[in-house]
Amino acid sequence: SQQGEEDPQALSIQEGENATMNCSYKTSINNLQWYRQNSGRGLVHLILIRSNEREKHSGRLRVTLDTSKKSSSLLITASRAADTASYFCATAPTTSGTYKYIFGTGTRLKVLA
Amino acid sequence: SQTIHQWPATLVQPVGSPLSLECTVEGTSNPNLYWYRQAAGRGLQLLFYSVGIGQISSEVPQNLSASRPQDRQFILSSKKLLLSDSGFYLCAWKTGHSGNTIYFGEGSWLTVV
């Protein structure tokens, strides 16, 4: 079963705009991660936020985590055409230790030049 | 530095034929290893994960199997492929126990005809 569900499923914006995508999950977690996938390629790690953190920044990325709502959001500011990709959240339920990472369904982001 | 190799990159197999996808990791020891499958335009489905040689956890009952004959080698197999086995297969690893970031291979496209 899917631990994470992202929304929206697809997002199309103009270059320079901000892109926000959300992830909801079902069980208690140790951390939540966001990954990026260019079409037909493997996934690349973007950022990790621990369960005791509420917000984290990395360059143009801002991630928030609300453990009470079991949700996270990824904000990409000042988007570029090169940001076009699919974005996934990943979680490991605390019951699985740090072994079993489950990915969400992904948000397909298209940035128009 | 660590690298992950996955092959073959693309294959077309007839229904009922066997399958063997291989994955090796270099530059680390005792990694956690993973096989994921991604249907076209969809999220990632965790198939198998392994925390050590000969230790395989299966997440989805199906006609696929996995083996870990060596510390840094992970093999995905099937005796008889089904049409529904078509998809994009991704091998991944992370540092065992304490690591959080998952590193992905470039994937293998399987089309069953």
Side-chain angles (χ1 to χ4, degrees), chain A residues 87-99:
Chain A
Y87 293 82
F88 295 86
C89 67
T91 56
T94 52
T95 52
S96 74
T98 58
Y99 304 133

Side-chain angles (χ1 to χ4, degrees), chain A residues 33 35 37 41 98-99 101, chain B residues 34 36 94 97 102 106:
Chain A
Q33 304 180 48
Y35 287 77
Q37 183 184 34
R41 306 294 298 276
T98 58
Y99 304 133
Y101 276 84
Chain B
Y34 304 85
Y36 288 89
K94 77 169 188 71
H97 222 45
I102 300 176
E106 285 301 309

